[in-house]
Amino acid sequence: MDWITGMQKAIDYIEDHLTEQIDYDTVAAQSFSSSYHFQRVFSILCGFTLGEYIRNRRLSLAGMELAAGEERILDIALKYGYESPDGFADAFRKFHGFLPSQVRGKQETIKSFSRLRLKFSLEGGFVMNYRVEKKPELVFTGYKRRFTGTPAERWEQTADFYTTTRVNQYILKGLSRDCDTTYDIMTGFGDDGYDYYITALLDPWCTEHLGDELGAAEAKRFEKIIVPEGLYLICETERTKYPTMLVDALRRQAVSEWLPSSGYMLADAPEVMVTHWFGKYDDPSVKNSRYIELWLPIRKCE
């Protein structure tokens, strides 16, 4: 309950300061957690970032005030942190689908983005296979794309990323000589999204001499990704044909059920997904043996 109360206090603070500049460290302090931990947990549980929540709430309230017709568009823009009418108009159009001036003419119906209120409910009773493990520094080789937008949009971006970069994947598999395991890394979390890497664990010599193995031009496809030494909560999905469909729910379960009572918080480090394929797609004996290990970086609460 302390964790739920702290999260609600942080949300209440945001709501009380929507017309002011909001400092994320101050928001996180309301829940007695680090800024990174609060923002990451918020994003996992809500499906949108802290910045998106603040922006959508401001634009929702601005729409209501415009519809009331009591203040000038410029005054409302300044009230909710926009320094120019053009910037406000662009953000307003992206959220509501039309310009602020069209609200005054009663030409369009505005959108509402409601305030978050956390409710305590009985949870648990689910089995989650996990372990807490210290990992050494790991050096991966891979390539990335920045994912942005809603969870549905990011899911589509992930699918497109995989289907349009098959050659890179085949090269990494050939270099690693491991066709049964793949490593995906998420890092660089921010209000606009995160960096998503498709990677492989290569022999150290190969990592340092990638140009000798592939040629200088081909080696430019890839970069080195260092995952620092640290403590990880490692959770496993069920064994199934399509374990990727279970990862988001597993992440939410770990954050909402295990983390609050564990004495740990999320650490500012990359998140790793390790997929174990166990054989060929057309082998009936292994089609339901696939699973994903989700590595969530953690550290002791202060």
Side-chain angles (χ1 to χ4, degrees), residues 243-278:
T244 53
M245 306 295 290
L246 306 177
V247 172
D248 284 347
L250 179 63
R251 186 183 289 109
R252 286 193 297 272
Q253 183 183 356
V255 165
S256 64
E257 297 184 25
W258 184 86
L259 206 59
S261 60
S262 68
Y264 292 95
M265 64 172 60
L266 294 178
D268 188 358
E271 178 181 316
V272 183
M273 291 186 295
V274 186
T275 305
H276 300 272
W277 295 104
F278 292 127

Side-chain angles (χ1 to χ4, degrees), residues 238-242 283-291:
E238 298 176 10
R239 271 59 172 171
T240 182
K241 188 174 183 179
Y242 300 112
D283 184 347
S285 65
V286 298
K287 69 178 182 178
N288 292 324
S289 297
R290 303 168 187 155
Y291 72 99

Side-chain angles (χ1 to χ4, degrees), residues 141-143 165-179 198-203 206 210-211 213-215 217-223:
T141 301
Y143 57 99
T165 61
R166 295 297 189 193
V167 172
N168 287 354
Q169 294 166 49
Y170 297 149
I171 291 173
L172 288 175
K173 287 183 182 297
L175 292 171
S176 67
R177 299 181 177 85
D178 182 1
C179 293
I198 296 175
T199 73
L201 266 177
L202 305 185
D203 177 270
C206 184
L210 201 60
E213 291 285 297
L214 300 176
E218 291 298 313
K220 290 181 180 179
R221 296 171 181 257
F222 306 104
E223 61 181 287

Side-chain angles (χ1 to χ4, degrees), residues 166-235:
R166 295 297 189 193
V167 172
N168 287 354
Q169 294 166 49
Y170 297 149
I171 291 173
L172 288 175
K173 287 183 182 297
L175 292 171
S176 67
R177 299 181 177 85
D178 182 1
C179 293
D180 290 337
T181 311
T182 56
Y183 299 87
D184 295 351
I185 297 174
M186 298 166 63
T187 189
F189 296 100
D191 277 347
D192 66 324
Y194 52 86
D195 292 328
Y196 191 99
Y197 286 87
I198 296 175
T199 73
L201 266 177
L202 305 185
D203 177 270
W205 187 94
C206 184
T207 300
E208 295 302 324
H209 298 84
L210 201 60
D212 297 334
E213 291 285 297
L214 300 176
E218 291 298 313
K220 290 181 180 179
R221 296 171 181 257
F222 306 104
E223 61 181 287
K224 183 189 299 183
I225 307 98
I226 298 176
V227 175
E229 176 184 310
L231 201 62
Y232 287 85
L233 168 64
I234 301 179
C235 313

